[in-house]
Amino acid sequence: MEVLIVEDDDAMAAALDAAVISAGHRATRVSRGADALLVHRKFEVILLDLGLPDIDGLEVLRKLRQVTPCPILILTARDDERSVVLGLRSGADDYLVKPVKLVELLARIEAVTRRAGRFGGTRQHSIVLGDLEIDVDRRVAALSSRVLPLTATEFDLLALLAGHAGSVVTREQILDALWGDAFLASSRSLDVHLTGLRAKLQLPGFIINVRGVGYRIEANPA
Ligand code: CA
């Protein structure tokens, strides 16, 4: 399993790293919250310290939760009940109190990943919505059997929205999936790609703008 350790204390990070590796997992350590937000997608479990030098750990947690269902275990320096409660309310799967016991750490990692596995669906390889067909493997989208001349980004955007048809996909989820950074400062480029995609689809009302949240494609288009 790929484990991300977000911890600014070198000694603590080294101990966690050794523990994770001893159990046969792979570990990557970052010491800043901003780095966690950038690299999180490669990992299956995230160990998140709450006291980080750049961004408060709870804020990092909330931001991660907006974009990933990845199991997150928070690490608290002491038995800080308030942080634990806030962490769990903000979407942490579990918590560990430092100093972390090796056996406990591994047991918690096993438990949260087992739980997460129940929700992990298999990846879709083709999506059909009315007259629209998307071949995810070949990266081709066709409308009424006519191939749409989409750019790579327009295709990714369409496949993402269509893969979640019936649900709202937030701007943060889109930015994270397409650019690897949910909190991209210049999110205006998304609007540009969306305009291009809509122009090529020529299906008014197909991609619905959910004001202030994100976008949705209906599961059963007319
Ligand atoms: Ca710390």
Side-chain angles (χ1 to χ4, degrees):
M1 209 146 36
E2 295 286 347
V3 181
L4 176 64
I5 298 167
V6 189
E7 169 63 74
D8 60 313
D9 183 282
D10 290 338
M12 179 60 68
L16 291 169
D17 189 77
V20 166
I21 289 169
S22 75
H25 304 304
R26 281 177 298 275
T28 299
R29 181 257 181 135
V30 295
S31 51
R32 290 156 33 90
D35 296 328
L37 293 172
L38 281 179
V39 302
H40 71 87
R41 278 165 306 118
K42 301 187 201 91
F43 300 93
E44 292 152 280
V45 183
I46 299 170
L47 305 181
L48 177 66
D49 178 30
L50 291 182
L52 294 169
D54 59 333
I55 310 173
D56 181 73
L58 286 171
E59 186 59 23
V60 176
L61 172 64
R62 280 190 280 268
K63 288 185 166 178
L64 284 171
R65 260 303 159 257
Q66 287 176 44
V67 292
T68 177
C70 178
I72 301 172
L73 285 163
I74 50 174
L75 305 167
T76 62
R78 58 194 176 286
D79 199 350
D80 178 354
E81 198 179 1
R82 191 170 163 274
S83 296
V84 167
V85 171
L86 284 173
L88 294 174
R89 278 195 193 143
S90 302
D93 292 274
D94 208 341
Y95 69 95
L96 288 157
V97 176
K98 296 182 194 175
V100 175
K101 294 184 195 71
L102 172 67
V103 176
E104 193 182 1
L105 169 67
L106 300 177
R108 298 288 178 89
I109 288 177
E110 292 295 326
V112 294
T113 51
R114 222 176 17 248
R115 257 184 278 154
R118 277 192 260 134
F119 304 105
T122 50
R123 206 167 76 86
Q124 290 169 283
H125 295 283
S126 69
I127 302 162
V128 178
L129 284 171
D131 294 332
L132 179 69
E133 285 178 61
I134 303 167
D135 185 327
V136 178
D137 290 331
R138 290 173 51 233
R139 298 183 59 81
V140 174
L143 187 63
S144 304
S145 301
R146 185 177 56 86
V147 173
L148 296 166
L150 303 180
T151 64
T153 303
E154 288 165 356
F155 178 86
D156 288 338
L157 185 54
L158 177 62
L160 179 68
L161 293 173
H164 294 83
S167 310
V168 177
V169 182
T170 66
R171 283 186 74 86
E172 287 79 13
Q173 286 169 326
I174 296 170
L175 294 173
D176 186 63
L178 271 61
W179 287 279
D181 184 353
F183 304 95
L184 204 65
S186 62
S187 67
R188 284 207 53 78
S189 64
L190 170 57
D191 301 314
V192 175
H193 295 292
L194 196 67
T195 301
L197 175 60
R198 280 176 163 150
K200 289 173 187 175
L201 281 171
Q202 292 284 315
L203 293 171
F206 184 68
I207 298 173
I208 298 157
N209 187 1
V210 182
R211 196 171 291 277
V213 183
Y215 301 92
R216 184 182 73 229
I217 286 178
E218 292 298 352
N220 299 300

